Amino acid sequence: MPPATGGGLAETELRPRRGRCGPQATRAADRDVAARAAARNPKRPARGSRRFETASRWALLALVTLLSFATRFHRLDEPPHICWDETHFGKMGSYYINRTFFFDVHPPLGKMLIGLAGYLSGYDGTFLFQKPGDKYEHHSYMGMRGFCAFLGSWLVPFAYLTVLDLSKSLSAALLTAALLTFDTGCLTLSQYILLDPILMFFIMAAMLSMVKYNSCVDRPFSAPWWFWLSLTGVSLAGALGVKFVGLFIILQVGLNTIADLWYLFGDLSLSLVTVGKHLTARVLCLIVLPLALYTATFAVHFMVLSKSGPGDGFFSSAFQARLSGNNLHNASIPEHLAYGSVITVKNLQMAIGYLHSHRHLYPEGIGARQQQVTTYLHKDYNNLWIIKKHNTNSDPLDPSFPVEFVRHGDIIRLEHKETSRNLHSHYHEAPLTRKHYQVTGYGINGTGDSNDFWRIEVVNRKFGNRIKVLRSRIRLIHLVTGCVLGSSGKVLPKWGWEQLEVTCTPYLKETLNSIWNVEDHINPKLPNISLNVLQPSFPEILLESHMVMIWGNNGLKPKDNEFTSKPWHWPINYQGLRFSGVNDTDFRVYLLGNPVVWWLNLLSIALYLLSGSIIAIAMQRGTRVPAEVAGLSQVLLRGGGQVLLGWMLHYFPFFLMGRVLYFHHYFPAMLFSSMLTGILWDTLLRLCAWGLASWPLARGIHVAGILSLLLGTAYSFYLFHPLAYGMVGPLAQDPQSPMAGLRWLDSWEF
Amino acid sequence: MWGFLKRPVVVTADINLHLVALTGMGLLSRLWQLTYPRAVVFDEVYYGQYISFYMKRIFFLDDSGPPFGHMVLALGGYLGGFDGNFLWNRIGAEYSSNVPVWSLRLLPALAGALSVPMAYQIVLELHFSHCAAVGAALLMLIENALITQSRLMLLESVLIFFNLLAVLSYLKFFNCQKQSPFSLSWWFWLTLTGVACSCAVGIKYMGVFTYMLMLVVAAVHAWHLIGDQTLSNVRVFCHLLARAVALLVIPAVLYLLFFYVHLILLFRSGPHDQIMSSAFQASLEGGLARITQGQPLEVAFGSQVTLRSVFGKPVPCWLHSHQNTYPMIYENGRGSSHQQQVTCYPFKDVNNWWIVKDPRRHQLVVSSPLRPVRHGDMVQLVHGMTARSLNTHDVAAPMSPHSQEVSCYIDYNISMPAQNLWRLEIVNRRSDTEVWKTILSEVRFVHVNTSSVLKLSGAHLPDWGFRQLEIVGEKLSRGYHESTVWNVEEHRYGTSQEQREREWELNSPVQVDASRNLSFMARFSELQWRMLVLRSDDSEHKYSSSPLEWVTLDTNIAYWLHPRTSAQIHLLGNIVIWVSGSLALAIYMLLFLWYLLRRRRNVHDLPQDAWLRWVLVGALCAGGWAVNYLPFFLMEKTLFLYHYLPALTFQILLLPVVLQHISDHLCRSQLQRSVFSALVVAWYSSACHVSNTLRPLTYGDKSLSPEELKALRWKDSWDILIRKH
C-alpha cells in the first residue's frame, strides 16, 4: 500500500477535482474560498499526469476493495457450527425456504435476502438451527455466510468513497478504509449469518449516494443526479426493511435534504417553479420510492409465507385465516354462539393471546390460592372454554334440548374444558396490577358460586342480539363486582410460566385490553358456514404486522439482576460478545472491536469537538485566516459535521431505549466514527503541516503521520486478528495462550 | 459622602396599579377559604407524610423529586408550628386540630397567586402591549386547574412559579444587556435566573426541561455576542464567564445546598433506612448507628461479621446459613449436593454471623497482635452457629441452573472435597494492600478453584429453603454487577475458643467503641443515585391518563368528595382556555413558518424588531410548552393531568401575544380591528363564564344536585362523582 499512498499524497490540497459527476460542487461560503485557493495554485498537472492520476485512483479503490474482500472471506467457513444469533436468522431464512409463517421483531427484508441466498446456493431449509454450537454437517451454509460477507465487504469501499467525496483527500479516505478493514469487530460481524452486515451495507450505501448527489448539486436533474438521488431512496428502503434502526439514516438523509432545500429556497436566482421541481424530485425519490419498495418487501413477505407456522398466535383471527394449515383457513364454523359451544376467546389487543387456564394454582400470598387464569399466545388445549347458562348445570349438548343462542346481555358461566373449573373473580388484588381484581378458575366439575357469573356484552350493540363468532367484539362483565375481564399485558413471573396476567378491572374505560372475540367455535348441533368474508386487505395486515413488531420490540425488556450491556460501554469497547465457544478446548470467536481503532475513534471525537468549536468560534469572531486554512476548516466543519451527525444519530437514541441492548448495536455508529477519524486526522495533519513554514518538512509530517496511523492500525490487526478468525487453546489469562498480554481490559472474555 | 445632607432626599415610588390589582385578585382567588376542606385532599396524603418526617427529623427517601419541594411544604408546617403528629393514611380523612392547614397550604397558594402578576410582567418584558399583558394575567387568574392545584399542599404551583420566575428574570436580564451590561440590575437578574432554574429543578425533576430551555436560549444569545465584533475579546470572555457562573455553577451549588440542608435536617433513622448502604445508615441517629457505633474498623482473621448485599434487590438481605440441607432431588428432577443451604435472609438473625478464618491456621479467634485482612488475601468464611465453611462447586444452583451452587460444606465421605477458599477483592480500594474495613469496604469473594463470585441471584427459594433468597456462584468472567458485592455491617473480634461459648457470644449484642462519618458528597451521591434508580411499583391509577388526553382536556382527577354532601373538588381545567391555547399555538406555528419561508425569499412581512420579538416569544412560550409536554411521551411512569400544568402556563402566555399579533398585523382596516377586539372580549367573557360555572368543582364549596352535576359533565370522559341515594 505505501507506494500507492505516496501517489495520492503527491497531490496538493484543496484543488477542485473531477469527481464522477463533474467539478466539485462548492457551496455558498466555500465557493470563493476554493476558487481563491485554486487561483493561488497556478501549476496545473499536465494531461498525461492527470490520466495517470485517474488510473492510480482506480487502482487504489480496487486495492481497498480487494483487501476488504480478502479479509472478510478469509476462513469464512470456520467454525462449521452455529454461531450466536445465526440460530435465529438462519432459522428464519429456513422459514422462508419452507414458506412457514413466523414472527420476528425486525422487518422482513434482511431475513428474506438470507433465505434467498440460501435457496440460490442450494440450501434446502432442512437444518433446524436449534442452538448455537450445533454442527452444520452436510447442510450448505456457505451461501448464506458468503452473502453476508459479500455485503459486509462493501462497507470499506463505500466508506472510502464517502470520505473521499467529503474531504477531497485520498489520505483521509485511505485512513478510513484501513480503520474499517482492520477492525476485528466489523470483520467478525460481517462473517456470519446476521442482519447487521446487510443493515450496515444499506446504511453506508445510503450515506454514499447522499454524499454523491450532494456533490452533483451544480448539475441538478442530470442523469447522475437522478441516479444518486434514487439510489439513496432505494438504500433507505433497504435499511428500514432490515431493521428499524434504519430510521436513523432516514433521519440523517431527511435533515440533509431539508438543509439542502432550505439553501435552494433561499437562492433568489431560482424561480419558485424550479424550487418546486426540486422538492417534487426529492419527495418522489426519498419518500414515495422508499415507501413503495418497503411496502413491496412486505407484500413479498406475505406472499412467500403462506403456510401456518410458529408465529400464528401473535396475530389476530382475521390475519390467521390467510395462512394455509391454520384452522381458520377456509374454515367453516357455526356462526352464532350457542350454549354448550366450545370456544377459544382471544383478546383484541395485539399480542395478548387467548384466555387460558391450567392446573397450577396461584402461589401462596398472591390472592386466593385458586387455579391460575392467564393469557397465552400459542394454540393449546387449555385455551378451550365451554359456555354454560349461569343457573343450570344440565348438559346443553343433550340432543333433546333445543339449541339456545347466547344473546347480548345474557348472564353466562365459562367453564374451562380441561379442568372443569369456572372463570371466577373476587375482591382479591390481582398478582401484578394491584388495583385490579384477581381472576381464577374455581369450582369442581362446573359447580361454583355466584362469583362465576359474567354478563356477556357486545360492544355497540343492542340487547337481545345474537353473538357472532370472530366478528363480535365482546366484553365480559363480572356480575358481583361489576368489573370487566381484561388482560394487563404484563408478564407473570416464573410461577405463571411467563404467560400474561388476566385481571378484572373495576375501571370501565374502554380499551382493547378488555375486549375479546371468539375464535374457535365447536358446536355439533349447529350448521357450519364458510368464513371467507374474513379476508383482511393488504393495508390491514401491513398495519397489524407493524403493531405486533413494535409491541415485540418493546417487550424485549431486561430482567432484574441480568448483566446487560449499556450504551456507554460501547465506544470504549468495554465488553464484547461471545460468538462461539467458552472453554479452552472450544473454537472461540469473540466479537470485540480492535481496541487501537476504537480508542483512536474515541479520542478523535473528543479532538474533533475541541478543534471544531475552536474553529467555529474563531469564524464567528471574524478572524481572518489564509485560504488554505479556511478551506481545511470547511472540510472539517462540513464534511466532519455530516459524519458526526451520523454518529450521533446512530448512537444517542439508544440511551432512550428501554429494550435489551447489545454491543453490536453500536456498529453502524462505529462506521461513522471511523470516517470522522479519517477526516479529522488528515485535516489536522495538514493544518499542522501548514503551520510549519518550510514546505518539504511540512509534507513530510503529513505523510509520516498518515503512514504511522496506517501501519499502527495494520499492526494492531495482526495482534488481534485471532479474535475474529478464531482462537483455540488456553484462555488469555493463561500466560501460555497466544492471546496472553492482549487482555487489556478485565472485562474482555477471551 | 455627606451628599445627602446637601441635597434633599427624594423617594419616588412608581406604582403600577395594574400590577397591584392583579396581585390582589390573584391572592384573593388563591387564598379565599384556604382551610376548606379541612380534610386530606388527593396527593396531600402523599406529601403530608414527608412534611411529618421533616417535623420529626426522620430520614426518608422519595424518588418523586429532589428534596427542595418537600422542604418548601415543610417550611409552611414549621411556620404554623406543626408537630408532625398526623396519620396520613387516606384521602378524605379530617385533619385533627394540631394540623395548621392554613399555613401548610399557604406557600403553594402564594406561589400560585404570584404567578398571575408574573405572567403580566413577562408579556411586558417581551415588548408586547399592556393589553396583551393584562390578558395573559387574567387568563392565569381564571384558569380553574391552576386555582385548584395552588390551593392545596401540592408542588405544581411552586414549580410553575419558579419556571415563570426564571423566564421573567432572564428577560429582564436580556433587556438590561442592551443598555447597561455588568450593571447591578444586570447581575441581579442574571443570578436570579440561575437561582430560579435551580429551585425549579429542586422542586421536581421536571424543572430540568425549563432549565434546559433557558440554557439553550442563553447559549444562542451568547453566540450572537461572540459574533459581535464591536466587543473586545476580553469583554466577550467576561460575558461568557458571567453567564457560565450564573447559569451553571450557581444552580449546581444551590442544588447541592438543598441536599445539604435536607441531610442536616433529617438526622434520625426512619422507615427507608434499609434501602441505603450500611455506611449511610451508620450516619443516622438511632438506626444502625446504635448497633454499629464503636465496632472495630479493621476486619482481622478471627473477626465475626455479618455480610450485607450491597445491591439490596429485591430486598436488602444478609448472607445466611442454617442447619437444613439442599433437597437431594429438586422438583424438576435435577440433583443437588445435599449440603447445608446458604441463602440471603432479609432479617437480622444469629445465623447471619460468619467468622473470617485464615486457611493456614485452625483458630477461630483473633490472635494478638491482630492480623488484618487485606485485598487479595485468601480467606475461609466459617458459619458461626454451625461451624461449617462456605463452599461452592460445579453443581448447578437450585433456581439458576447456569450458576454454581453455594453451600456450607458437609463431608459425606464421597469424592467431593471441600472447595472453601475465597480470595477477597475490595472493590472500592484505593491501593492494592488496603485493609478490609467494616461498613466502608465493598468486597467481592472470588472462589479460588472455579473463579466464580459469590452472588445474590434475586430468586426466591421454594418452601424447602423457607422462601429465602438464593445465593449462587457466578462466573467471574460475566463482568461486574452490584449483586456480587458485599459489605460487613456488624463486626466484632471473636474471642471464644469453644463452639458452645461462641454461640453464646454470637447471641450477645455487639459492644461499642468508636464512630465513623461519611462525607457530605458521599452521602449526597448515594442519596441522589438511590432516588434516581428506585423504581416504585407504578401501578395503573384510576385517574391516570396519557399525554394525548391532556391537550383536549379529555380527563380529569377527582381530588376530594365531601363525606356527606356531594360537594367535591376536581382538577378540571377551563376548557375554553385549553382549547384556545392549543389553537393559538397552532396558529403561531403556522404563521411562524409562513413568515420564515417568505423571509427566505426576501419578502419581509414584519419589520425587523417585530420579527425578533415574534421569534423570542416563540422560543420561550412555544418552546416552553414543547419541552414541558413532549418528553412525557417517552416516559414510562404513571402520568396524571397535573403534569400538563407547567406546559399549559406557557400556552397561556402565548395566547394573548398571538391575539395581539393578529390584531396588529393581520387586521387590515380599523373596522376589522374593532370587530376582532369585540370577538376577543366575547371570547374572554365566555372563558369567565365557564370558569364561574366550574367554580363549585374548583373550590368544592357548594354541594350541587345530581342534575346539576350531570349538566356539568360536558365530556363523557370526565368522571364527576354523583351519589346514588
Side-chain angles (χ1 to χ4, degrees), chain B residues 422-703:
Chain B
W422 301 84
R423 198 178 62 246
L424 180 80
E425 250 185 40
I426 301 178
V427 178
N428 56 351
R429 63 180 181 273
R430 297 226 173 74
S431 72
D432 274 353
T433 53
E434 186 159 301
V435 177
W436 183 7
K437 299 202 185 83
T438 312
I439 294 184
L440 301 176
S441 294
E442 301 187 338
V443 300
R444 297 207 292 176
F445 296 98
V446 182
H447 193 236
V448 173
N449 301 55
T450 58
S451 57
S452 55
V453 201
L454 193 68
K455 181 193 167 188
L456 169 66
S457 77
H460 283 270
L461 295 171
D463 289 338
W464 54 256
F466 310 101
R467 317 216 129 263
Q468 297 173 4
L469 293 144
E470 185 199 35
I471 293 289
V472 300
E474 176 86 298
K475 280 287 176 211
L476 183 60
S477 54
R478 294 293 306 277
Y480 173 81
H481 192 265
E482 267 210 332
S483 58
T484 60
V485 183
W486 302 83
N487 72 331
V488 172
E489 186 162 294
E490 292 164 89
H491 173 220
R492 63 186 156 206
Y493 293 136
T495 51
S496 31
Q497 303 278 355
E498 291 301 311
Q499 178 65 23
R500 179 68 49 87
E501 230 180 289
R502 197 178 304 125
E503 283 177 20
W504 183 83
E505 188 182 349
L506 289 170
N507 274 311
S508 64
V510 202
Q511 73 278 19
V512 170
D513 63 63
S515 74
R516 267 173 297 288
N517 267 327
L518 221 56
S519 72
F520 163 68
M521 278 316 283
R523 289 182 9 132
F524 160 73
S525 49
E526 179 179 347
L527 181 60
Q528 176 70 84
W529 181 245
R530 301 272 162 174
M531 281 165 68
L532 288 176
V533 296
L534 189 71
R535 272 291 131 84
S536 49
D537 190 23
D538 34 63
S539 51
E540 190 185 345
H541 190 277
K542 186 171 179 186
Y543 288 105
S544 63
S545 48
S546 76
L548 274 182
E549 292 168 298
W550 300 342
V551 183
T552 46
L553 192 62
D554 274 339
T555 168
N556 70 324
I557 308 178
Y559 269 13
W560 174 79
L561 176 65
H562 193 281
R564 288 170 303 278
T565 68
S566 47
Q568 48 192 303
I569 296 182
H570 283 262
L571 181 70
L572 192 54
N574 185 327
I575 190 144
V576 173
I577 298 181
W578 289 54
V579 171
S580 30
S582 309
L583 264 180
L585 187 79
I587 292 174
Y588 177 86
M589 296 313 282
L590 286 178
L591 280 177
F592 176 78
L593 215 62
W594 174 246
Y595 292 143
L596 189 71
L597 288 176
R598 281 171 59 93
R599 283 176 75 82
R600 186 80 187 153
R601 297 297 290 183
N602 232 350
V603 185
H604 293 265
D605 302 281
L606 299 181
Q608 185 65 14
D609 64 324
W611 166 248
L612 287 180
R613 254 188 290 154
W614 184 242
V615 172
L616 185 63
V617 80
L620 288 175
C621 298
W625 174 83
V627 294
N628 281 299
Y629 175 58
L630 300 181
F632 284 107
F633 285 96
L634 295 175
M635 287 189 199
E636 287 180 359
K637 59 177 207 165
T638 320
L639 298 175
F640 293 95
L641 182 62
Y642 56 71
H643 285 126
Y644 185 62
L645 295 181
L648 179 75
T649 49
F650 283 103
Q651 256 188 358
I652 291 180
L653 290 181
L654 188 65
L655 186 51
V657 169
V658 170
L659 291 179
Q660 194 201 337
H661 180 86
I662 293 177
S663 150
D664 286 355
H665 296 277
L666 299 185
C667 295
R668 303 277 157 149
S669 66
Q670 193 57 45
L671 178 69
Q672 280 182 353
R673 223 161 275 167
S674 318
V675 171
F676 185 72
S677 309
L679 282 178
V680 169
V681 170
W683 162 79
Y684 185 73
S685 5
S686 74
C688 285
H689 175 68
V690 168
S691 178
N692 195 38
T693 319
L694 291 178
R695 210 190 46 185
L697 299 182
T698 305
Y699 289 92
D701 55 342
K702 211 163 96 186
S703 174

Side-chain angles (χ1 to χ4, degrees), chain A residues 424-621:
Chain A
H424 178 97
S425 181
H426 44 218
Y427 288 113
H428 285 271
E429 58 186 30
L432 300 177
T433 316
R434 293 291 159 85
K435 306 236 161 171
H436 294 183
Y437 303 133
Q438 185 193 25
V439 176
T440 64
Y442 180 74
I444 296 165
N445 287 334
T447 16
D449 62 13
S450 61
N451 272 331
D452 301 348
F453 299 156
W454 301 81
R455 191 168 66 241
I456 187 165
E457 287 186 357
V458 181
V459 179
N460 298 335
R461 285 296 151 78
K462 284 196 217 87
F463 279 86
N465 281 351
R466 289 182 190 178
I467 291 168
K468 285 181 184 156
V469 171
L470 290 166
R471 269 175 292 174
S472 291
R473 297 149 65 95
I474 306 171
R475 299 216 295 172
L476 287 169
I477 293 165
H478 191 239
L479 211 59
V480 175
T481 61
C483 59
V484 187
L485 185 77
S487 171
S488 63
K490 296 178 189 161
V491 180
L492 292 172
K494 237 171 226 162
W495 57 255
W497 311 99
E498 299 183 345
Q499 296 172 1
L500 306 185
E501 183 196 35
V502 167
T503 64
C504 194
T505 152
Y507 313 134
L508 302 181
K509 261 189 193 172
E510 208 166 272
T511 62
L512 281 184
N513 288 53
S514 56
I515 302 180
W516 307 78
N517 72 353
V518 174
E519 187 167 298
D520 298 291
H521 181 205
I522 306 159
N523 193 334
K525 282 172 36 183
L526 292 174
N528 288 347
I529 58 144
S530 173
L531 283 169
N532 283 333
V533 281
L534 270 177
Q535 284 295 345
S537 65
F538 178 68
E540 277 168 9
I541 54 178
L542 189 67
L543 182 71
E544 182 177 346
S545 56
H546 275 86
M547 299 298 286
V548 176
M549 275 191 284
I550 289 166
W551 166 85
N553 262 317
N554 289 338
L556 296 172
K557 288 273 157 66
K559 299 201 179 78
D560 269 354
N561 288 23
E562 224 174 24
F563 295 101
T564 47
S565 182
K566 303 270 180 341
W568 63 265
H569 290 171
W570 303 340
I572 52 178
N573 211 10
Y574 177 76
Q575 205 170 21
L577 269 173
R578 248 194 222 114
F579 264 40
S580 151
V582 180
N583 299 321
D584 28 343
T585 48
D586 298 336
F587 183 90
R588 299 189 309 277
V589 176
Y590 189 64
L591 175 74
L592 184 75
N594 180 342
V596 174
V597 172
W598 284 51
W599 293 343
L600 183 70
N601 282 345
L602 198 62
L603 175 73
S604 307
I605 289 170
L607 214 56
Y608 178 83
L609 291 178
L610 187 71
S611 54
S613 31
I614 290 174
I615 291 174
I617 289 179
M619 282 169 62
Q620 178 79 357
R621 288 295 297 160

